Amino acid sequence: MAENRMEDLIGMLKNQRMLATLVLGAFLAVPAFAQAPTSPAASDTSLRAGAQMINDLVTGNHILYGQGVLDGFGHLSARSDKDPNIFLMSRSVAPGLVKASDIMEYDLDGKPVDRRDRGIFSERFIHSAIYKTYPEVKAIVHSHSSAVIPYSVTKTPLRAIFHMSAFLGLGAPVFEIRKFGGDDTNMLVNNQDFGLALAKTLGNSAVVLMRGHGATVVGDSIKQAVFRAVYTQVNAQVESDALKLGEVNFLNAKEAATFVEYQKNQKQVIERPWELWKQTVKNAN
Ligand SMILES: [Zn+2]
């Protein structure tokens, strides 16, 4: 009998705890539902892009800085998911410091949609011209990676040396600005004509090197462009190391193409490092 009473007592206490949990849960649910999302609210509400895209753009900037692909210079952009004739990029600010409120809209001729008094990148035409030329491109990284630059000024091609950078194939093309602007340029792609010439040199490749300047990497998403920008730099470092040791056995065209095809169906190949890199950066939304 004593045992039964004890069981009844335990049962009653359990029910009371469940009731308390329900009451507390209902109480807590109100403010949780009423709470506005913090990050997107910080961005310009007139932007024609989803909140997730703006978040990814900010995170991507921080990842590229954290991975040493961008320093105080360089930029990441994305084609709007609401209007394909608009792309999004920060105002002129170091990538590691980009906040959601820094994100601006540009048209495909490189004109800011609503500039106000904000500073803008002189090389925005890299982005505008590539988006204009290739509708399938959804995100672009422009960097001055010091590991990559040697391959823009020598005859040694930057080509896929391991599977993670298979997208480089047999070698990234090199944009020679002198061919289009003569000796008078300051090396910057600072007008739409230079941007269109760069886009033409890029062709079907994922990466175009820019002689004595840096590289531009494209992708079908922010995550893919960031992934490719990081692994372009890693490839350059590994290739430079390997070349010092002797003759290099690179991926051949078939191997590179097969891995690129495999990766298309393996979303986690892009997602896994993104989630890891994301943990290493401070989200400054
Ligand atoms: Zn540049």
Side-chain angles (χ1 to χ4, degrees):
M1 282 298 281
E3 255 178 44
N4 283 347
R5 273 207 301 277
M6 187 57 83
E7 273 172 16
D8 287 349
L9 189 64
I10 290 169
M12 200 174 74
L13 285 171
K14 271 186 184 165
N15 285 339
Q16 278 178 345
R17 203 164 57 212
M18 277 172 66
L19 186 67
T21 307
L22 284 171
V23 170
L24 187 66
F27 176 75
L28 288 176
V30 175
F33 279 120
Q35 211 170 37
T38 49
S39 306
S43 66
D44 190 333
T45 49
S46 68
L47 291 178
R48 279 164 283 176
Q52 189 59 52
M53 171 166 272
I54 293 168
N55 274 342
D56 285 351
L57 206 45
V58 172
T59 303
N61 267 284
H62 296 176
I63 288 173
L64 290 166
Y65 171 62
Q67 294 298 310
V69 176
L70 304 182
D71 50 13
F73 300 95
H75 8 92
L76 164 68
S77 71
R79 191 191 293 273
S80 165
D81 53 357
K82 305 249 191 244
D83 181 349
N85 295 315
I86 295 290
F87 72 94
L88 295 122
M89 190 164 66
S90 75
R91 69 181 172 88
S92 177
V93 61
L97 302 177
V98 169
K99 300 187 294 296
S101 55
D102 294 318
I103 305 298
M104 298 173 61
E105 287 182 349
Y106 299 82
D107 71 17
L108 300 193
D109 293 314
K111 194 169 168 287
V113 174
D114 178 22
R115 180 171 181 173
R116 290 175 240 154
D117 58 351
R118 294 176 285 187
I120 51 177
F121 294 120
S122 60
E123 292 200 285
R124 59 194 178 279
F125 302 100
I126 291 171
H127 305 261
S128 57
I130 291 175
Y131 288 127
K132 192 160 197 166
T133 309
Y134 304 108
E136 69 277 17
V137 171
K138 305 290 188 219
I140 300 172
V141 177
H142 170 58
S143 78
H144 302 158
S145 167
S146 58
V148 172
I149 289 173
Y151 295 90
S152 78
V153 295
T154 60
K155 295 219 181 305
T156 306
L158 181 70
R159 57 179 287 190
I161 199 161
F162 73 144
H163 62 309
M164 300 304 286
S165 47
F167 56 85
L168 285 167
L170 295 183
V174 180
F175 174 66
E176 172 53 271
I177 197 167
R178 207 179 284 147
K179 219 168 100 184
F180 304 96
D183 295 332
D184 297 329
T185 74
N186 59 6
M187 304 299 288
L188 301 178
V189 177
N190 55 10
N191 64 55
Q192 185 77 348
D193 286 343
F194 286 165
L196 290 169
L198 176 73
K200 201 171 168 200
T201 306
L202 169 70
N204 291 327
S205 303
V207 180
V208 58
L209 306 186
M210 300 153 81
R211 196 263 307 162
H213 181 164
T216 295
V217 180
V218 303
D220 63 9
S221 68
I222 292 172
K223 290 177 185 178
Q224 191 190 54
V226 167
F227 176 95
R228 286 176 167 180
V230 171
Y231 279 102
T232 294
Q233 178 166 279
V234 174
N235 193 97
Q237 290 157 342
V238 175
E239 187 173 339
S240 296
D241 285 345
L243 285 167
K244 283 182 210 149
L245 300 178
E247 200 182 332
V248 178
N249 189 359
F250 290 95
L251 266 69
N252 64 27
K254 182 78 170 59
E255 288 166 338
T258 304
F259 188 83
V260 167
E261 201 50 42
Y262 159 78
Q263 203 177 23
K264 275 186 196 161
N265 305 315
Q266 301 289 324
K267 228 176 146 215
Q268 78 273 13
V269 177
I270 301 285
E271 290 287 341
R272 195 192 302 164
W274 172 272
E275 287 305 318
L276 172 69
W277 295 333
K278 203 172 143 181
Q279 295 303 314
T280 66
V281 299
K282 186 169 147 258
N283 202 328
N285 279 331

